[in-house]
Structure formats: C-alpha cells, structure tokens
Amino acid sequence: MLKNVAALLLDDVHPFELGVLCEVFGLDRSDEGLPVHDFAVVSAEGPLLRTHAGFSVSAPCDLDRLEEADLIAVPSGSHYMDRTYPEEALAALRRAVERGARVLSVCSGAFVLGAAGLLDGRRCTTHWRHSDELARRFPLARVEPDVLYVDEGPIVTSAGTAAGIDAALHLVRQAHGPAVANTLARRMVVPPHRDGGQAQYIQRPLPRTRCDTVGETLAWMERHLDEEMTVEQLADRTHMSPRTFARRFQQETGTTPYRWLLRQRVLLAQHLLETSDETMDTIAGQTGFGNAAALRHQFVRALGTTPNAYRRTFRGPSALTEAA
C-alpha cells in the first residue's frame, strides 16, 4: 500500500519538481473520492532550504520522518551532478529500500540515488542532458537515456519535469488502480498514462568534431535524406572501399551509416511534424521513408510513439493528420 510519502529536499531544489510531488501526493482530494496520503517535506540540510528560483522553502521534518515512509521521492536540484550529499540522508535512503519502501527520483534527483548506491546494477534514467554524466559517475548503473521513466523494483527514476508526473502517476496506478490514477490525471489536466519506455522528446544531432574523413559525406547525406543511398555509393563519394568507409564511419561517428541515416531521418520527421501540416505520406517521402507505414514503423521504433501522437503532443488535436 502507498499511504505514507516523504519528499526529501536538499539545497537548491527545483520548485517545479517539488510541486509535482506535492500535487500528486500532497493534496487532500478525498471529496473527489481519491485516497489521501500522509505527505511530508523532509530536509537533509536544515529547516530552511534554498531553491534555484531564488526563494527559500521551509521543511519542517528532519530525516527521522523517512523511517516511516512507504515512498521517498527526491526532486531535482541545481548542481546535483557534481556535489556531495549528507551521508545521513544517503543512509536513510538505503535503510528505506532494505525495509521494503520505494524510492522515486525526478530528473537530477537520480544523482542522489546513485550516491546512495541504489542505482548499482539497476536500469535507471534521468534528463537526457545529464544521462552521460550519470553513467560516468555511477558506472555500475545501467542508464537508459531516452526513456521517460524506469521502474526497477523498489527504485523508480524519471527524466525531466513532466516525466516526473508520469512516474508519480505510474506509482499511484500501481498502488490504487487505474481509476484513481485516471481521475487524478484528469484533475491535473495531464495525460492519464504515458508508458515509461516512450522516448524523451530530444534533439541530439551527432557532433562532428571527430569526423575528419567522412565530414563532407555527412553533410551531403543530410542534404539528401529523401534519397536512397547505399554504403557502396557513400564509399564511392569518399573515394574509399565500402569496407574501409564503414570502418572509418564507425570510428568517427560512433555508429553505422544506416543507424546515422535513420536517426537523421527521424529528426527531420520530428521537425516536419512539429512545424508543418503535410500529410504522413508527404513527410515520409521528404524523409526517405517512402510511405506512411514505413515512417510509422521506424518512428515507433526510435521514439516509442506514433507520428500522429507526436504531432498531437506538440501541436494539439487540430493539427492531427491521419496516415494513410
């Protein structure tokens, strides 16, 4: 059962992510038939904490309050990637997991969990901007950089901001059932369910700092994403054998020509879905996927959502164009 919830705060906490936890677990909505949680805000660093927005918040409870929590939630904060944390707080998180409580992090709150050793050997995530640093600092963690949230036993980690809402509603759904979670989501005016495996909406064009040999070919590929191209054709443009070209491409980009091309085509499709009213078949032609069915297949594989759902997310239902 999920009855007792504590939010663990440190200095420079982000107010929005803290607000997410308060909204989901801290408000009394019993008049709407929703369960009431015993919610507390706990400080690991004194009764008055700074926020990164320039004001302070009061946290009346100390770390002893964590000992009775069914769920401890750690919101994000500034500089969480490169600071140290009070050992007393980390020990309290470890004890909570040992006695069967669950722990949730929002965005960079995952670094607190990592410092406590709770990510070792576990799948986890954080905001895509911090995922590389999370993997570097905690090499035993299995970081999944592109998902909204990861439920790994007692540990739930989520990506930035809105993904924290998704993860919190996921926990509510597990504890109280879909009807409660859907009612709460409707009250908050948010989607009732986004699967954790859905990709974060990110754009990360491949850096070219090391692309000395294939850089010109990459530029040409970007300008001709709508065209068919083979390794043999690309190798010929670079005046190499196909085998040498494939090897140098992997060395300089960190991926294969096919995967690089697929990622760029998906990025272009995202851009067109966000900014145009073109049909799915037209977008498929402009991005080299050929037809709407192929576009949908590759889009779902890459981002975990359909082109129509993606367009609806960014532009609203009125912009939805059904694929043929």
Side-chain angles (χ1 to χ4, degrees), residues 9-92:
L9 274 57
L10 298 104
D11 269 327
D12 294 315
V13 63
H14 289 174
F16 186 94
E17 283 74 4
L18 171 59
V20 165
L21 301 175
C22 295
E23 184 75 17
V24 175
F25 300 111
L27 297 186
D28 184 344
R29 295 193 174 100
S30 55
D31 59 331
E32 301 177 55
L34 296 177
V36 178
H37 301 101
D38 184 359
F39 180 77
V41 177
V42 175
S43 171
E45 297 180 302
L48 197 64
L49 293 161
R50 299 187 304 271
T51 72
H52 86 122
F55 60 88
S56 298
V57 295
S58 175
C61 299
D62 61 23
L63 292 174
D64 289 342
R65 178 63 174 75
L66 300 182
E67 303 299 327
E68 59 191 73
D70 303 317
L71 170 68
I72 299 174
V74 184
S76 61
S78 297
H79 311 299
Y80 277 22
M81 293 73 67
D82 52 15
R83 61 159 291 178
T84 57
Y85 304 100
E87 179 54 37
E88 297 84 355
L90 303 182

Side-chain angles (χ1 to χ4, degrees), residues 3-315:
K3 295 181 178 179
N4 195 309
V5 181
L8 176 60
L9 274 57
L10 298 104
D11 269 327
D12 294 315
V13 63
H14 289 174
F16 186 94
E17 283 74 4
L18 171 59
V20 165
L21 301 175
C22 295
E23 184 75 17
V24 175
F25 300 111
L27 297 186
D28 184 344
R29 295 193 174 100
S30 55
D31 59 331
E32 301 177 55
L34 296 177
V36 178
H37 301 101
D38 184 359
F39 180 77
V41 177
V42 175
S43 171
E45 297 180 302
L48 197 64
L49 293 161
R50 299 187 304 271
T51 72
H52 86 122
F55 60 88
S56 298
V57 295
S58 175
C61 299
D62 61 23
L63 292 174
D64 289 342
R65 178 63 174 75
L66 300 182
E67 303 299 327
E68 59 191 73
D70 303 317
L71 170 68
I72 299 174
V74 184
S76 61
S78 297
H79 311 299
Y80 277 22
M81 293 73 67
D82 52 15
R83 61 159 291 178
T84 57
Y85 304 100
E87 179 54 37
E88 297 84 355
L90 303 182
L93 290 172
R94 290 191 290 267
R95 287 195 301 272
V97 172
E98 289 170 359
R99 63 179 171 79
R102 305 203 72 181
V103 176
L104 163 69
S105 68
V106 182
C107 193
S108 60
F111 286 82
V112 184
L113 275 56
L118 299 180
L119 302 184
D120 291 355
R122 289 189 169 102
R123 295 163 49 246
C124 59
T125 194
T126 187
H127 193 289
W128 61 267
R129 293 181 60 189
H130 308 315
S131 58
D132 288 345
E133 179 63 15
L134 186 69
R136 189 193 67 80
R137 286 196 60 184
F138 308 109
L140 297 181
R142 295 156 54 195
V143 180
E144 299 187 1
D146 296 337
V147 299
L148 295 177
Y149 59 88
V150 173
D151 185 341
E152 186 79 341
I155 307 299
V156 179
T157 51
S158 65
T161 308
I165 300 175
D166 298 315
L169 289 175
H170 167 72
L171 288 168
V172 170
R173 185 176 297 103
Q174 285 187 329
H176 303 298
V180 169
N182 292 346
T183 300
L184 179 57
R186 191 178 306 112
R187 179 67 171 77
M188 294 172 62
V189 199
V190 297
H193 178 61
R194 290 199 297 171
D195 184 74
Q198 182 172 317
Q200 298 179 37
Y201 294 127
I202 60 178
Q203 286 192 350
R204 285 186 287 182
L206 189 70
R208 295 191 192 167
T209 54
R210 295 169 52 233
C211 299
D212 300 326
T213 305
V214 300
E216 292 185 9
T217 302
L218 288 176
W220 182 89
M221 292 168 70
E222 285 183 336
R223 295 193 301 270
H224 298 83
L225 292 176
D226 59 331
E227 299 180 13
E228 290 291 331
M229 57 187 79
T230 66
V231 170
E232 289 74 17
Q233 292 169 334
L234 296 171
D236 185 63
R237 293 189 60 86
T238 321
H239 308 294
M240 296 180 185
S241 69
R243 186 173 181 178
T244 300
F245 172 78
R247 184 176 67 252
R248 292 301 299 270
F249 196 100
Q250 178 83 39
Q251 291 172 344
E252 296 188 9
T253 69
T255 189
T256 65
Y258 172 77
R259 289 176 179 170
W260 188 93
L261 182 62
L262 184 62
R263 179 57 179 151
Q264 298 307 309
R265 284 173 168 168
V266 170
L267 283 172
L268 177 58
Q270 289 177 263
H271 173 73
L272 293 173
L273 289 166
E274 294 171 20
T275 61
S276 78
D277 296 319
E278 299 287 358
T279 66
M280 293 301 166
D281 276 318
T282 299
I283 291 175
Q286 293 176 349
T287 54
F289 288 117
N291 57 63
L295 167 64
R296 188 182 193 280
H297 174 72
Q298 296 294 352
F299 204 90
V300 170
R301 285 187 63 186
L303 298 179
T305 188
T306 66
N308 279 333
Y310 185 89
R311 172 174 274 175
R312 191 163 52 235
T313 296
F314 279 90
R315 305 190 64 209

